[in-house]
Amino acid sequence: MLALFHYGFVLRGFEAGIIVALVAPLIGTFLVLRRYSLIADTLAHVSLAGIALGLLLGFNPILAALAVTVLASLGIESLRLTRRVYGESALALFLSGSLALATILLSLGRGFNTSLFNYLFGSIVTVTRGDVLTISVLAVIVAAAVAFLYKELVYITFDEESARVSGLPTRAINVILILLSALTITLSIPIIGVLLIAALIVVPVVAALQLRRSFAATIAYAEAISLFSVVCGMLASFYLNLSTGGTIVLIMLAVFLLLLLATSRRRGSTQA
Amino acid sequence: MPLAAAAVDHRDNIIEVSHASFSYGAREILSDVSLAVHRGDYLGIVGGNGAGKTTLLRITLGLLKPSSGAVRLFGQDISAFRQWFRIGYVPQKATSFDENFPATVEEVVLMGRFARRGLLRRLGRQDRAQAELALERVGLLPQRGRLIGDLSGGQQQRVFIARALAGEPEVLFLDEPTVGVEQAVKDEFYRLLRRLNEELRLTVVLVTHDIERMAHQAMHVACVDRTLFFHESLDDYFRKTHAEIHPHERRGQEA
């Protein structure tokens, strides 16, 4: 098994995978509990337009995706605040709009090629040295921001109105949360692919929530589930020659199902 | 009541709402409302559904901007007010939050310390000590490690009171805190508020449609029905308006 890590690309893939596995549930906990799960999927589709733009113009696709996702996340938040459209409708507008833009850009660049396929579904082979560096920097930014704003984020997630009355700048913190989501999604692209990012952000958290623990413990369990699934998923996908993103997500869902069954039996027996 | 009334300092208006009006489009919810809360007071703001009492509370707390009029908190205009830790708030949400939210009683109560501690600062030993004290005051210290969603409705409500107390506020605002809670629990809840008002000299402002339960607890009653009818004492309130208010209150209790 150790022979696997003699290949440079495998090592880079694992480095990137572990970083993503640790960062995604950190943001995911706040998004899931605020009923913002769909924002992950929307921003992922938006990032596809950025990738297409990058591929077309010859930029680094990840950096192009980052720029486009950050702009879109600010757009979604300001559209939501105008109250001219419902929150979910704002997401739907951005999701379909950016997907439309992506298909146009890709047809201009003469269609789907291999590297696009890798961005859609994720592959450890796609990860370059530059990607690992970019991902590391983004991960440090996200982790530091969550660490500094932890108590504020928890309060706003639980009870936004009381948080406002206690003088917290809730609007600014909401903008920061959505920006951090954009960063997290962009950095997850090379590993898991655009189409499955939402799962990486949402599923470990939903699985950890089944354990019914404190807020801090829920984040820790989500991290553990995510790390386990990503590492196992990458190993399995490499040996069995499967899609990396798909394997990771299926393992996560299996963990969720196991926890759901285990805890519902326990809860059922205590109620009886 | 006369016993407790002696503790009110009528020279110290900690909350002042002057000539506040509020409209949603063409519909006027509040019209020219003025209200002063004295230090040590226990004020009940009552009124039927849609009478504007929650709107008045939200304006007072800065959650809504009045169409006209001014709000002063502790002598400062609300736009310049920054000492939010002096205000404790128990939202309506206290009886209708996400039961599956993964937070322990202690984690929820510690949120009450955030305004004191300030942005980006970590909580310390003193914050934990105050949270414990607040939990002890509401009788929930043994439950501190449990998930908030696993407690009974009455206990959850007391957790939200403890959260507000943990910040060591000077005034406590409560928005319909007894909706959906059993009668026996309500009585105990009002006794707790009365005790906090008397023992801690905490000013209490309670918005409710539950006038009968609150009756022997609050010192002053303000009745909202688009505008404000202020009553010096509860007896005064009952003498003047019980007959007209009664239908509202019946409707409220059936709901």
Side-chain angles (χ1 to χ4, degrees), chain A residues 29 33 35 147-152 154-155 157-162 164-169 173 209 212-218 267, chain B residues 58 61-63 84 87 89 91 93 97-104 107-108 111 114-115 117-123 147 150 160 163:
Chain A
T29 307
L33 290 170
R35 308 289 193 277
F148 276 121
L149 286 172
Y150 178 75
K151 71 183 189 350
E152 287 79 7
V154 171
Y155 201 174
T157 304
F158 181 62
D159 183 353
E160 183 161 355
E161 190 176 274
S162 298
R164 265 179 78 191
V165 173
S166 80
L168 289 189
I173 292 170
L209 282 174
R212 295 182 64 78
R213 297 294 161 91
S214 72
F215 200 93
T218 301
R267 228 178 286 174
Chain B
R58 294 176 70 83
L61 293 172
L63 291 168
W84 290 100
I87 292 176
Y89 175 50
K93 201 178 180 162
F97 64 95
D98 173 12
E99 299 264 321
N100 289 314
F101 196 93
T104 61
E107 280 177 316
V108 173
M111 292 173 192
F114 295 176
R117 187 52 54 208
L119 211 58
L120 306 180
R121 303 267 175 79
R122 285 184 169 273
L123 297 182
L147 278 199
D150 288 345
F160 280 83
R163 183 178 74 178

Side-chain angles (χ1 to χ4, degrees), chain A residues 25-63:
Chain A
L26 208 55
I27 289 299
T29 307
F30 299 104
L31 293 183
V32 167
L33 290 170
R34 301 197 65 180
R35 308 289 193 277
Y36 273 5
S37 297
L38 277 178
I39 226 167
D41 209 26
T42 304
L43 289 180
H45 285 80
V46 168
S47 71
L48 187 62
I51 287 168
L53 195 68
L55 289 175
L56 189 68
L57 301 177
F59 287 156
N60 178 337
I62 298 294
L63 290 181

Side-chain angles (χ1 to χ4, degrees), chain B residues 60-80:
Chain B
T60 313
L61 293 172
L63 291 168
L64 284 177
K65 240 187 149 86
S67 324
S68 64
V71 177
R72 293 177 77 77
L73 303 173
F74 296 95
Q76 223 173 5
D77 188 78
I78 194 163
S79 57

Side-chain angles (χ1 to χ4, degrees), chain B residues 84-154:
Chain B
W84 290 100
F85 55 82
R86 299 174 83 174
I87 292 176
Y89 175 50
V90 179
Q92 264 180 12
K93 201 178 180 162
T95 48
S96 66
F97 64 95
D98 173 12
E99 299 264 321
N100 289 314
F101 196 93
T104 61
V105 168
E106 189 172 27
E107 280 177 316
V108 173
V109 174
L110 278 171
M111 292 173 192
R113 291 298 298 172
F114 295 176
R116 280 242 169 228
R117 187 52 54 208
L119 211 58
L120 306 180
R121 303 267 175 79
R122 285 184 169 273
L123 297 182
R125 193 179 301 163
Q126 198 198 346
D127 300 305
R128 271 163 237 290
Q130 282 298 335
E132 265 182 36
L133 186 66
L135 275 171
E136 209 171 348
R137 282 225 165 89
V138 302
L140 284 177
L141 195 55
Q143 276 79 26
R144 66 177 162 184
R146 295 184 60 192
L147 278 199
I148 173 117
D150 288 345
L151 302 185
S152 71

Side-chain angles (χ1 to χ4, degrees), chain A residues 14-26:
Chain A
F14 270 83
E15 282 167 5
I18 287 167
I19 294 170
V20 168
L22 291 174
V23 173
L26 208 55

